Structure formats: structure tokens, C-alpha cells
Amino acid sequence: MTISLKTEVPGPRSRELMAERQAAVARGLSHVTPVFIARGEGAVLEDVDGNRFIDFAAGLAVLSAGHLAVPVVEAVREQSRGFLHACFHVTPYEGYVRLCAALNRLAPGTFPKKSFLANSGAEAVENAVKIARAATGRPAVVCFEHGFHGRTYMAMTLTAKERPYKLGFGPFNPGVVRAPFPYCYRWPGTQDPERVSAECFAAFEQSVRDVGPDQVAAIIIEPVLGEGGFVPAPASFLQKLRAFCTEHKIVFIADEVQTGFGRTGELFACARSGVVPDLMTLAKGLGGGMPISAVVGRAELMDAPMVGGIGGTFGGNPVSCAAALAVLELCEQGDLLRRARALAEKLPGRLAVLRRFGKVGDIRGQGAMQALELVKDRQSKEPDQEAVAAVIRHCYERGLILMSAGTYGNVIRLLMPLVITDGQLEEGLAVLESGLERFAG
Ligand code: PLZ
């Protein structure tokens, strides 16, 4: 057994730190659990009271290669012996170039590609929009209901959910149009993916016609909604969008910040539909725990901003580049992708039995990116956010760290490190099952 609880959860030391946190840290940051972490390894977390947890959150989809993945830690150590920072604008360094070249090689598409590095997912999104506008000379950007793209002004404007992401922070950026997302479970009238896809695409076309396709620089979409509740867009919807963008010379931006690097069982989620984006935003899993993000895409688009037009002091930090190169090597040569595929194959079947709980309205996802949507009853589909909160609490009090998602906060998402062992997976799922038994029966 991995889980080992020595105190009640949260323990006394976590409680003390939480009291200090209330005094020192801004209120606006939320926590999934009140547990303060001391160390991590693989899919296991140990807190400051010596309690051991199984981690189904992976630092919010970041630690796909696990906590303290050995090659990542080695790469960080090695780079720390040389220099920690240089700023690519001042004195460029090899790691930045190597990482861009590796991303260009791995990203979908046979055309010439180039990359740009930043620090966070939001920054990647900001820069993708800047690049698309510079390349097209057009103002508008189309995004989707239930989408999440970050917390900076453009990224927040593109994000759909009002509470807590936008409330009180307006005015937002102009030039943004929001179209419906093909959320099959909640689509009015039909749940058939092909009908939802067709109806949703018709609505998308209408919103774009209203602004004029020749005014649209880019569309940005998550191939599988992350924060929005792990909703995969039907392949046909992404394909129709792709064709529309090609026809109207609109830049197709796939936001793979959460879906990238094995989460869906493929290196990138777009692979399932065969859609090749013009630009892709990447972050989270890329750095193996170090902060780094990227925009990768068509060379002629990436080269549109003038020299000096994009950049930043910290973008593509050398230590983060070294970590990311180690992660990419794990993906290419190591067994990370193999384990991702194995997990992606096993998980859906393993979760299907949870349908026996009456409040489980939908079980869905792509690959290892799986989620349960809880409802008060299956007929009305009224979201049951309280049940989700109760299950999550039940779980962390019993040694499993788990996160919610969804516009209505009523989705439980599974984001375990892809390197989780079979034993840890089963142990974690048993805790989840006991939570559902109690609060979702
Ligand atoms: N695009 C698809 O999932 C970040 C948000 C956590 P940053 N998702 C986690 C929170 O509460 O802020 C995300 C994403 C997609 C962009 C982002 C933004 O990435 O690294 O958090 O800026």
C-alpha cells in the first residue's frame, strides 16, 4: 500500500502553515486541498506531517513524467552547474535552440516549423494571438464556450467562465468572438456526436459570418476541454474548423497546454482527428515541473513579428529548457508515451463500472484524460457541485489527491502522473470509488 496517514488530514503542521498562509498570502488563490506538501516522487506526495498520498492531480497536469523524474532532475542539476539565467535577448544559449528544434520536429505537420519559448500557458496563448495578428493583419479572434486559456488579459478574455476567472476584472480585450463548443452531454436536443458537431459548426459559421471571415486572425480551441471538464471535441468538428480556417486563411491555434505530451495517449490530442494546427500552445507537461511554455507552428507565421517584436526576460529559462529536453527525450526514446498509451487504454474500461452510481451522469475523455460528471439526477442533468466537493474532500482525507473541473464545478478529473504504477492506480481508484459510494450513490 502506498497511502499512509499518520495524522488526521490536514495534520497539525499543515494547519499551522494554513494559518500563516491566511495572514501572508492573498485571499484570491484557491486550494484543492489544505495539505502542504514536503516532497514528491512518481505519483506519490508526502505532506509536512509525514502523511503519504497518491497524486491524481500531478500539479495540475504538469507532472506527467512524475514527481522528480530522474532524467529531469539530472538535467536540472547539470544545467545548474553552468548558468541559471542569461536572457535569450542578451546572450543566446544552445538549450533554447535545441528545444525549439525538438518541438518543431515533434509537432504535427510536415511543413517547416519554428518555435518561441515563454514561461506559462497564458504567455504562450498571448504570443500565439500576437503572432496570428501580425501574420494576418486581421483583428478578430474566435474562441469557444467552456474554454480556458489563462489569466492574463487576452487569455482571460478568451476564457469562458465568469466565476472565478473574470468577475470584477473587466473591461476585457476587444476583438474576441465566442462560439459554442460541441459539449455532447449538454447539447440541447441531441447527444449524437455527429449531429452535435454539425449543429455546433453551423453556429460557429454564423458567429464568424457576423464579423466577416476576412476579419478573423485566428481561432483558438482546446481539442479536449481541460478546465472546462475534459470534453473532447468530436473529430469531425475539429476537421470542419480546420477546413474553414484553410478556406478563409484563418490561423488555427490548438491550445494543447493541458492535453499535450502524452495526456491523451498521444503526444498531442490533435492526432486523434488528424487535424494539423497552424500554431500550437504548449506548457505544463513540457517542463517536467519546471516553468516553461512554447508556441510552435508554421515557420512563415512564426516569423511574422518584426525582430524584437516578441520576447521577455525569463522566456525559455535555460534550466527549464534542459528539463524540457529531458521530458521530450522521455517521450521520444523513453517509455513515457508507452506508459501513457497503456494508461489511456486501461482507464476508460476501469472507470465504466462507476456508472452504477446514480449521480454519475457522464464518463468521458480522451486517453488518460478521463472525467466523471456528477448530476443531481440523470434526467434533469442538474450539476451536482456539492457532491463533487464532498467526494474530493472524502478522498484527500483518505490519501488521494483529486481535482474538480467544469463550468459548473461538477466534474471530477483524473490527472495522475502517466508513470503511476498499476498498484497505485488501483489503490487510488478504490478511494475514489468509496467516495462515490458515499456521496454519489
Ligand atoms: N490553456 C488549456 O489548461 C492552464 C489553470 C489553473 P498557465 N490550466 C490550469 C488556474 O486555476 O489558473 C491552462 C490550460 C489551457 C492555458 C492555460 C494557462 O496556463 O500556465 O496556468 O498560464
Side-chain angles (χ1 to χ4, degrees), residues 30 60 119-123 125 148-151 155 165 222 224 226-227 255-259 281 283-284 413:
S30 64
L60 227 177
N119 303 289
S120 65
E123 261 186 279
V125 167
F148 183 95
H149 300 288
R151 292 175 182 266
Y165 303 131
E222 299 160 86
V224 184
E227 301 307 300
D255 184 344
E256 293 237 19
V257 164
Q258 191 153 164
T259 50
T281 51
K284 292 197 187 276
R413 57 173 146 173

Side-chain angles (χ1 to χ4, degrees), residues 315-335:
N317 169 272
V319 185
S320 297
C321 283
L325 281 164
V327 169
L328 293 187
E329 187 157 339
L330 282 177
C331 289
E332 280 192 287
Q333 266 107 46
D335 65 352

Side-chain angles (χ1 to χ4, degrees), residues 54-141:
I54 290 175
D55 182 7
F56 274 16
L60 227 177
V62 168
L63 298 150
S64 299
H67 292 267
L68 296 185
V70 173
V72 175
V73 175
E74 281 305 310
V76 166
R77 271 212 189 99
E78 186 56 35
Q79 179 57 41
S80 310
R81 281 196 266 270
F83 54 98
L84 294 177
H85 172 79
C87 184
F88 201 65
H89 299 299
V90 181
T91 49
Y93 40 94
E94 186 173 344
Y96 193 114
V97 179
R98 292 247 168 282
L99 180 55
C100 288
L103 290 169
N104 299 340
R105 193 173 66 244
L106 293 173
T110 50
F111 42 77
K113 278 166 266 170
K114 287 194 175 182
S115 293
F116 164 81
L117 304 178
N119 303 289
S120 65
E123 261 186 279
V125 167
E126 297 287 335
N127 281 284
V129 171
K130 283 168 69 173
I131 290 164
R133 281 181 170 161
T136 58
R138 301 172 179 180
V141 181

Side-chain angles (χ1 to χ4, degrees), residues 215-226:
Q215 294 302 302
V216 179
I219 67 147
I220 181 163
I221 188 164
E222 299 160 86
V224 184
L225 293 174

